[in-house]
Amino acid sequence: MADSWKLTAFGDKATIQAALLAQEDVADWDPEIVLTGFELADDRPDDWRLDAYLPRKPTAADRKSVARLFVNEALDLTAERLPNSDWVTESQQGIEPIQAGRFYVHTPDHHPSGELGVRSFVIPASQAFGTGQHKTTEGCLVMLSEMKRRGVIARRIADIGTGTGLLAFAALELWPRAHAIATDIDPVCGPVVAENATANGFTIGARPGQLAVAIAAGMDDPDLRACGPYDLLIANILAGPLIELAGDFADAVPPRGNLLLAGLLEKQEPKLRAAYRRAGFSLVARLVNGDWSILWLRRRFVG
C-alpha cells in the first residue's frame, strides 16, 4: 500500500467551494492530488472542510498547489499521515442505507429493504466511488426513477464515470432489456463493477440485459462508440469534464435521446447548461440535492 497523506483546511462554505471550482481551471493540476470538500455537520451548514489526498508526504510544491486555490484568503493547511489502509474504503465504513426513487442502497452491514416495489442494491465500501451516499448519486437515482415514470424508453444505455456501477445497475433495473455499457477512467473500477454486478444479480456481457464494462476516458473507447447511439447517457463526474464532453455527448445521443448529468455544484450550472444548449440539448427537468444540481437534458432535432 502506498504511503498516503492528506492536507486539510477549514473555512466557510463559499471559500471551500471556490477552491474546488478553482482546481478545475488549473490546467497542469497533479492528478495524484485528489480533493474533497464537505460540510462539517448538518446543523453547521456554513462550516466546511477541504481535504487533499496524496500518495506521498506533501512537498512544499504540493502545499503551494493547494494553497493557491484559496485566491482571496490564506487558510492554514495541516498535514496528516493516513493509516496503512485505503482511505476511500475507510471513509465509507459504517455508512447508513439510503432510499432514492425506486431504489434502496445499502452496504453488506445492513439488510435489504422489504418494501414492495423498491429494488435493493448492496454496494460494499470499495476502492471506487458510488455507494449512493453522495448527493449527486442519490439525485441520479431519483431522476432515473422519474424518467421511467414519465415514459422514457431506453434501448441503449451508457454510464460514463461509473465508479461502483450503481447507476448502470439502476438503469438496467428500469430498462432490463437494454444494451448497456459502463465506463470509468480508473482501472480499479473494472473488477469492482464486476463484483458488484454479481452481488446484485447482473451479468457482465454484451447481450441485451447485460452490462459491458470498459476503462476509458470520456467517450474515447471503440466499444463505447460502436455501441451507440444512446437513448440514455448518464455522466456523474465533474463540471469541467462535463463541459468539455458536450460535443462528444451530442455525437453519441440522437435527437430525442436523454442525457443525465451530475457532479456539478448549483453555481456551476449556468455555464454547463450554456455549453449543452450550444451542443443541441434542452432541459427537461432539474433536481437540486444539497448544493448539487442533477440535470435531465434531451437532444433537440437539428437542421
Side-chain angles (χ1 to χ4, degrees), residues 219-266:
M219 301 299 291
D220 187 19
D221 180 79
D223 291 335
L224 183 58
R225 292 192 294 271
C227 289
Y230 296 99
D231 308 298
L232 172 60
L233 191 150
I234 305 162
N236 180 15
I237 44 179
L238 293 170
L242 285 176
I243 292 171
E244 293 174 6
L245 286 166
D248 291 339
F249 288 169
D251 291 338
V253 176
R256 300 189 69 180
N258 298 281
L259 189 59
L260 176 56
L261 302 181
L264 60 144
L265 293 163
E266 189 177 6

Side-chain angles (χ1 to χ4, degrees), residues 127-128 184-193 213-216:
Q127 291 179 303
D184 203 285
I185 196 172
D186 188 348
V188 78
C189 293
V192 168
V193 173
V213 181
I215 302 303

Side-chain angles (χ1 to χ4, degrees), residues 142-253:
V142 172
M143 194 67 88
L144 286 169
S145 301
E146 178 65 10
M147 287 179 167
K148 180 68 174 182
R149 188 188 71 81
R150 291 171 60 171
V152 166
I153 297 173
R155 299 180 180 88
R156 292 187 176 273
I157 298 168
D159 179 18
I160 310 301
T162 192
T164 62
L166 175 59
L167 296 181
F169 303 153
L172 270 176
E173 179 69 19
L174 294 171
W175 296 279
R177 301 185 65 181
H179 289 267
I181 184 168
T183 73
D184 203 285
I185 196 172
D186 188 348
V188 78
C189 293
V192 168
V193 173
E195 291 172 10
N196 288 337
T198 299
N200 288 283
F202 295 96
T203 301
I204 299 297
R207 294 182 177 181
Q210 298 179 343
L211 181 64
V213 181
I215 302 303
M219 301 299 291
D220 187 19
D221 180 79
D223 291 335
L224 183 58
R225 292 192 294 271
C227 289
Y230 296 99
D231 308 298
L232 172 60
L233 191 150
I234 305 162
N236 180 15
I237 44 179
L238 293 170
L242 285 176
I243 292 171
E244 293 174 6
L245 286 166
D248 291 339
F249 288 169
D251 291 338
V253 176

